[in-house]
Amino acid sequence: MNIFLAVFSALLLCFTVLSLIRHDYWTFRVFDYPRLQKLSLSVACMVLLLIYFDSSSVLSWTSTLLIAANMIYLSTQIIPFTPLGKIQVQKVKTHIDEQSICVMIANVFQDNKNTKGCLNEIARHKPDVVLLLETDSFWEKETMELERNYPFHVRVPLSNTYGMLLYSRLELRNPEVKYMVEEDVPSIHTQIVLKDGTVIRLYAVHPTPPVPNENPRATERDKELLLIAELAKASKEPVIVVGDLNDVAWSFTTELFLKMSGLLDPRRGRGFFNSFHAHYPFLRFPLDHAFISEHFKLKQMKRLSNFNSDHFPIFIHVQYEPDSSSPDETLQPDADDIKLAEEKKNAPTST
């Protein structure tokens, strides 16, 4: 077996092992993201290993078996987000418009000036609620015309890439802007009144990612997600959590969030709905999410057209149906999960 294959195999195995180390530093957490890419590279590596397989070489046998194990492990992480996985959120059978709500989540990329493209996408799909992320004062001004069709709104323009603009056709009650972990990273908490009068609760979030040029740790992101999970779990109203979570659907932190919140992921059993990076097809991950409580069934979920952002918008249409999901469809935390969640919520932050 040549040196290239030995190094290639070792690197792929290291990338998987690093993602298993539950340390908050970005050098470990960044390897949560590319599991589909790691699987694709592992398949390519396996093909090469079989082509150049040397039955007399211990290294050849070891590399082949380890890469096979790596492929199996990565497949188990990815399959739940394909049609081969178990569906968590069932499809609507009877459509009731008065009990439904559709939400569009779009990280616009703050430096992007194509506001017309964004407005066209909103006009084309006509969501009830629009959440625009990475919005500064320029985006606030350029999207002000949405008020004609979206009379309820919460605007938090910021120049630090964590601004939020929330527009709604449906009545917003008691909207609040909170800075739960970092003093310059907001989240929006509000009640929304459906057409039939049902009151639901929406949390719009955009925590910081674990990247070296912004926040080298995942501590703040994980803490915010778990604090939102705590609020969602305690809510007496049906819950929707939307936003750019800067975490992939299959990471252990997102799974921990689902366990602690009792929310469901409509992606499971359907597809990846990769939203980032819009300009690099091989480097795409599901970063923009919509999680819902078991009170909802799914009408539609889709990825929308890009308008020069580095993210694709995500569109989700759900219908309120009490007791629509059985309790066993939610992920249940064990004692270790509860302990880890408490540690993360109480972890000291850099701010």
Side-chain angles (χ1 to χ4, degrees):
M1 188 174 70
N2 61 40
I3 294 174
F4 168 77
L5 272 181
V7 173
F8 189 25
S9 302
L11 283 174
L12 288 174
L13 295 169
C14 284
F15 294 160
T16 296
V17 170
L18 284 170
S19 70
L20 297 175
I21 299 172
R22 294 189 175 182
H23 194 286
D24 280 0
Y25 204 66
W26 75 271
T27 49
F28 300 97
R29 293 280 56 86
V30 72
F31 290 104
D32 283 338
Y33 291 62
R35 289 193 179 170
L36 183 59
Q37 289 82 358
K38 288 188 289 186
L39 177 59
S40 300
L41 291 172
S42 294
V43 170
C45 184
M46 176 60 77
V47 171
L48 293 174
L49 285 168
L50 293 176
I51 291 173
Y52 296 101
F53 186 75
D54 181 358
S55 60
S56 65
S57 169
V58 173
L59 181 59
S60 187
W61 275 103
T62 302
S63 297
T64 302
L65 291 173
L66 288 175
I67 290 296
N70 195 46
M71 289 168 55
I72 292 169
Y73 168 73
L74 292 171
S75 296
T76 63
Q77 302 299 304
I78 290 168
I79 283 174
F81 302 92
T82 71
L84 298 176
K86 181 181 178 182
I87 289 175
Q88 266 198 332
V89 181
Q90 301 302 315
K91 287 279 285 186
V92 166
K93 293 181 180 177
T94 303
H95 294 264
I96 306 173
D97 183 62
E98 291 76 15
Q99 294 178 205
S100 70
I101 178 172
C102 47
V103 183
M104 174 178 163
I105 309 124
N107 183 319
V108 302
F109 183 56
Q110 185 171 289
D111 294 335
N112 174 22
K113 303 304 179 184
N114 186 15
T115 55
K116 182 177 289 187
C118 176
L119 293 171
N120 287 343
E121 213 45 24
I122 293 169
R124 184 176 298 119
H125 298 282
K126 297 178 172 60
D128 296 312
V129 177
V130 178
L131 174 64
L132 303 179
L133 303 168
E134 282 201 29
T135 42
D136 55 11
S137 57
F138 169 81
W139 275 90
E140 178 187 30
K141 179 182 176 182
E142 293 297 315
T143 59
M144 212 72 74
E145 65 184 71
L146 288 171
E147 289 184 10
R148 291 199 297 267
N149 295 317
Y150 296 86
F152 303 96
H153 45 79
V154 181
R155 291 193 287 258
V156 195
L158 295 171
S159 59
N160 64 352
T161 74
Y162 290 97
M164 289 182 167
L165 304 177
L166 181 71
Y167 289 93
S168 178
R169 299 180 192 274
L170 303 171
E171 180 187 352
L172 301 182
R173 285 187 185 170
N174 305 312
E176 296 180 277
V177 177
K178 295 192 176 183
Y179 297 83
M180 300 189 70
V181 177
E182 298 179 82
E183 61 184 16
D184 57 350
V185 179
S187 58
I188 298 173
H189 306 200
T190 185
Q191 294 172 310
I192 298 179
V193 184
L194 302 185
K195 293 175 185 176
D196 71 344
T198 300
V199 179
I200 67 170
R201 183 162 289 278
L202 180 132
Y203 298 101
V205 295
H206 186 200
T208 56
V211 290
N213 63 335
E214 192 165 351
N215 192 340
R217 304 184 306 164
T219 307
E220 287 76 14
R221 180 198 66 186
D222 296 355
K223 185 170 186 172
E224 180 163 349
L225 293 181
L226 289 166
L227 289 172
I228 292 290
E230 187 174 53
L231 293 173
K233 187 71 173 178
S235 175
K236 294 181 173 61
E237 299 146 343
V239 172
I240 300 176
V241 175
V242 292
D244 174 359
L245 272 59
N246 278 312
D247 199 10
V248 284
W250 47 72
S251 77
F252 85 88
T253 47
T254 295
E255 187 168 302
L256 182 62
F257 168 83
L258 291 175
K259 288 177 178 178
M260 300 309 298
S261 65
L263 299 181
L264 302 171
D265 185 352
R267 275 191 176 96
R268 288 179 176 252
R270 292 191 169 87
F272 300 112
F273 299 92
N274 290 330
S275 57
F276 175 89
H277 195 290
H279 305 309
Y280 305 110
F282 188 68
L283 294 175
R284 284 186 181 164
F285 316 108
L287 297 188
D288 298 271
H289 304 266
F291 299 123
I292 59 179
S293 61
E294 58 188 11
H295 307 87
F296 297 97
K297 282 188 178 178
L298 183 69
K299 281 191 173 184
Q300 186 183 34
M301 186 173 186
K302 59 184 177 180
R303 190 178 73 182
L304 305 183
S305 299
N306 177 251
F307 46 84
N308 296 346
S309 173
D310 52 356
H311 287 246
F312 290 99
I314 295 293
F315 178 94
I316 183 167
H317 194 175
V318 296
Q319 182 169 297
Y320 172 67
E321 293 188 19
D323 305 317
S324 63
S325 299
S326 59
D328 62 356
E329 289 174 330
T330 61
L331 302 179
Q332 300 300 318
D334 58 25
D336 289 339
D337 293 325
I338 295 170
K339 180 181 178 182
L340 178 60
E342 286 301 315
E343 288 175 356
K344 285 183 171 293
K345 283 190 295 184
N346 295 319
T349 62
S350 57
T351 58

